Amino acid sequence: MAHTTAQVIWITGASSGIGLALTKNYLAQGHKVIASARHQGELAPLLQAHEQLSFVEFDVSNQEQIASVRASLQTLTDHLDCVILNAGTCEYFEVASQQPDWQMMERVMAVNFIGMINSVQVSLPLLKKATAPHLVGISSQSVQAAFPQAQAYGASKAAMRYFLSSLRIDLKPFNIDVTCILPGFVDTPLTQKNTFPMPFIESSEKAALRIVRGIRHRKYEYAFPKRLSVLLWCGRHFPKLWLRLLSPQVKPTH
């Protein structure tokens, strides 16, 4: 994305974490940013300080909001140069529990995967009106190798990755570039709840800098940090070793 020309950027999941850091970064570059989330959260002071920032409330998992959100966007702009689909959630599956929460799978998928599809449905007509439109989805490096208790999160992010890869082909005739971002562990309100080690964790601000760079170069996929990519490559290509490292020991039967 060029720094010299102000663009119109829509960011979902913008009230905290990576989405908030991206919003601040693009505002500092002089772009017009439309931020969406279920509530303003940490965006509130930014909205007071920046005329170039607008807020459109959007629960991405709620399909009934699609028409109204699209209408709200159309009152703010006649096109979107870049759409960054960042809204997401994470819950962990306790298969050893007396009553595993199977419904959790649907909750996570509703936000991370179906929510992304809803956001594409909202924004695609406005993307088609831009000169050099760019659709960006924030997936996860969790798709590179399996993690314990991450069935719902990893599956939703893998579905997102495939959806974007397929959509890239179908949107090529419309001159819409599609990028899938695969971050590693990033310090956000979601990851702050984790109780396990998170190798190579980065701040939201540093992650946003990397993502902005990947978007600027319009990469098909961009995974970071590279050290984690190498570690997960090993996990993917040596699955038996990965299983021994990550799986709890088999409990004795007597």
Side-chain angles (χ1 to χ4, degrees):
M1 181 177 296
H3 290 279
T4 55
T5 304
Q7 302 202 9
V8 183
I9 302 167
W10 183 40
I11 303 174
T12 67
S15 61
S16 65
I18 292 174
L20 180 65
L22 287 169
T23 297
K24 292 178 179 179
N25 189 295
Y26 282 119
L27 286 173
Q29 293 183 41
H31 298 296
K32 178 179 179 178
V33 178
I34 304 172
S36 285
R38 290 178 298 171
H39 49 77
Q40 291 186 3
E42 297 180 54
L43 286 167
L46 288 178
L47 289 163
Q48 297 293 326
H50 295 274
E51 294 182 355
Q52 291 294 94
L53 176 63
S54 303
F55 178 76
V56 174
E57 182 178 335
F58 187 23
D59 176 354
V60 298
S61 66
N62 188 346
Q63 294 180 335
E64 294 181 358
Q65 293 185 8
I66 290 174
S68 62
V69 171
R70 183 188 294 138
S72 296
L73 291 176
Q74 289 172 339
T75 64
L76 295 169
T77 182
D78 61 358
H79 73 281
L80 289 170
D81 295 294
C82 183
V83 169
I84 304 177
L85 307 179
N86 169 73
T89 189
C90 181
E91 295 184 55
Y92 295 107
F93 185 58
E94 299 282 353
V95 71
S97 169
Q98 292 284 347
Q99 294 182 321
D101 184 5
W102 294 99
Q103 295 303 313
M104 179 267 289
M105 305 285 181
E106 185 175 345
R107 291 197 302 271
V108 173
M109 192 67 73
V111 175
N112 292 357
F113 181 53
I114 303 301
M116 179 200 63
I117 295 173
N118 293 340
S119 301
V120 171
Q121 188 175 345
V122 165
S123 60
L124 196 54
L126 288 170
L127 276 169
K128 288 180 178 179
K129 295 180 179 180
T131 302
H134 196 180
L135 178 66
V136 181
I138 309 297
S139 181
S140 168
Q141 285 230 53
S142 65
V143 306
Q144 308 277 34
F147 285 88
Q149 299 181 310
Q151 293 89 346
Y153 181 78
S156 68
K157 291 297 187 177
M160 182 179 187
R161 182 191 196 186
Y162 189 94
F163 178 88
L164 291 171
S165 296
S166 179
L167 196 62
R168 182 181 299 117
I169 300 170
D170 292 328
L171 291 183
K172 186 65 176 177
F174 298 97
N175 196 37
I176 299 176
D177 290 331
V178 177
T179 293
C180 183
I181 305 290
L182 307 173
F185 292 107
V186 179
D187 186 10
T188 69
L190 278 179
T191 58
Q192 287 165 10
K193 300 176 183 178
N194 293 343
T195 58
F196 52 83
M198 293 178 283
F200 318 121
I201 189 169
E202 297 182 346
S203 68
S204 296
E205 291 74 20
K206 185 173 181 179
L209 288 173
R210 290 181 182 268
I211 292 169
V212 168
R213 184 163 58 246
I215 292 173
R216 184 183 306 128
H217 292 292
R218 294 182 175 255
K219 294 176 177 288
Y220 287 179
E221 280 196 352
Y222 176 51
F224 68 89
K226 289 183 178 180
R227 291 173 295 171
L228 183 60
S229 297
V230 171
L231 178 64
L232 296 179
W233 183 92
C234 293
R236 189 167 63 253
H237 288 83
F238 300 96
K240 292 183 179 179
L241 174 61
W242 189 252
L243 178 63
R244 288 199 298 271
L245 291 173
L246 270 67
S247 179
Q249 296 298 312
V250 177
K251 296 179 180 180
T253 57
H254 58 275

